[in-house]
């Protein structure tokens, strides 16, 4: 009887599949220059099928960026502003088309709504590789915002309270100008 557990062949296939998807990176979101399709509403139906995003199921939303692949890839580095959690916002608007699945569409006949944009792009990046792109009309802060005065006051009160309890002793803090020892 064969032992239970993952088969080496299955594990190898999974590694090859994940590696292949990761290598797609920005390419899966790039259509540059924009593909011309007769009938303005046919672009999404054509591109989603061409890119294999309609089988085995219709992908619900996909954004195509009409810029060079290197520019889209740069969103994970110098072309994007980090927002935390592997999210980057483009430093400038990028032309794009968002394809959204119409309700009631079935895998054998996926039908999409088209929305052309010239907005900022929001990229999800893993190991400096683009794994998802969406458009956003929000310009997110380029630099971390300063804490609010209320938050600073709360922090001061918290530290003072901890000092009273003996949990924090300012004189023992590294870099403190005050010297002394804790009195019990």
């Amino acid at each position: 009887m064969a032992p239970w557990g993952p088969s080496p062949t299955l594990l190898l296939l999974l590694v090859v599949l994940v590696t292949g998807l990761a290598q797609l990176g920005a390419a899966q979101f790039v259509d540059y220059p924009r593909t011309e399709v007769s009938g303005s509403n046919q672009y999404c139906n054509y591109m989603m099928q061409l890119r294999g995003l309609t089988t085995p199921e219709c992908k619900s939303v996909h954004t195509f960026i009409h810029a060079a692949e290197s520019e889209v890839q740069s969103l994970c580095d110098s072309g994007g502003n980090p927002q935390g959690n592997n999210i980057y916002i483009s430093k400038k608007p990028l032309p794009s088309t968002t394809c959204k699945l119409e309700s009631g569409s079935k895998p054998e006949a996926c039908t999409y709504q088209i929305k052309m944009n010239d907005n900022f792009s929001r990229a999800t990046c893993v190991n400096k590789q683009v794994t998802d792109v969406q458009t956003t009309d929000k310009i997110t802060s380029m630099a971390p915002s300063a804490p609010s005065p209320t938050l600073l006051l709360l922090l001061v009160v918290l530290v003072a309270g901890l000092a009273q309890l003996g949990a924090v002793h300012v004189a023992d803090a590294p870099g403190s100008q005050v010297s002394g020892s804790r009195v019990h």
Side-chain angles (χ1 to χ4, degrees), residues 46-181:
Y46 175 77
M47 289 301 295
M48 295 296 281
Q49 187 172 13
L50 180 68
R51 297 288 177 95
L53 302 172
T54 59
T55 57
E57 295 181 358
C58 306
K59 185 173 181 183
S60 59
V61 178
H62 191 81
T63 299
F64 295 100
I65 306 294
H66 309 299
E69 185 176 342
S70 59
E71 188 171 1
V72 175
Q73 184 55 53
S74 77
L75 294 175
C76 297
D77 196 19
S78 61
N81 292 308
Q83 305 298 307
N85 296 325
N86 295 326
I87 304 294
Y88 293 78
I89 302 291
S90 62
K91 291 183 177 179
K92 64 179 186 177
L94 296 172
S96 63
T97 302
T98 299
C99 302
K100 184 176 180 184
L101 185 66
E102 290 182 357
S103 61
S105 288
K106 306 226 183 297
E108 60 274 2
C110 303
T111 307
Y112 291 89
Q113 297 172 347
I114 184 172
K115 183 176 182 186
M116 295 176 70
N117 305 295
D118 197 18
N119 290 342
F120 291 85
S121 295
R122 176 184 184 274
T124 305
C125 303
V126 176
N127 296 324
K128 297 288 185 187
Q129 294 294 313
V130 175
T131 59
D132 189 36
V133 174
Q134 300 170 8
T135 59
T136 179
D137 52 6
K138 288 185 175 181
I139 301 175
T140 309
S141 171
M142 304 290 182
S145 59
S148 70
T150 306
L151 182 60
L152 289 174
L153 180 62
L154 182 62
L155 185 59
V156 168
V157 170
L158 179 64
V159 169
L162 289 172
Q164 289 292 325
L165 293 172
V168 173
H169 193 254
V170 176
D172 293 337
S176 173
Q177 300 296 330
V178 180
S179 62
S181 60

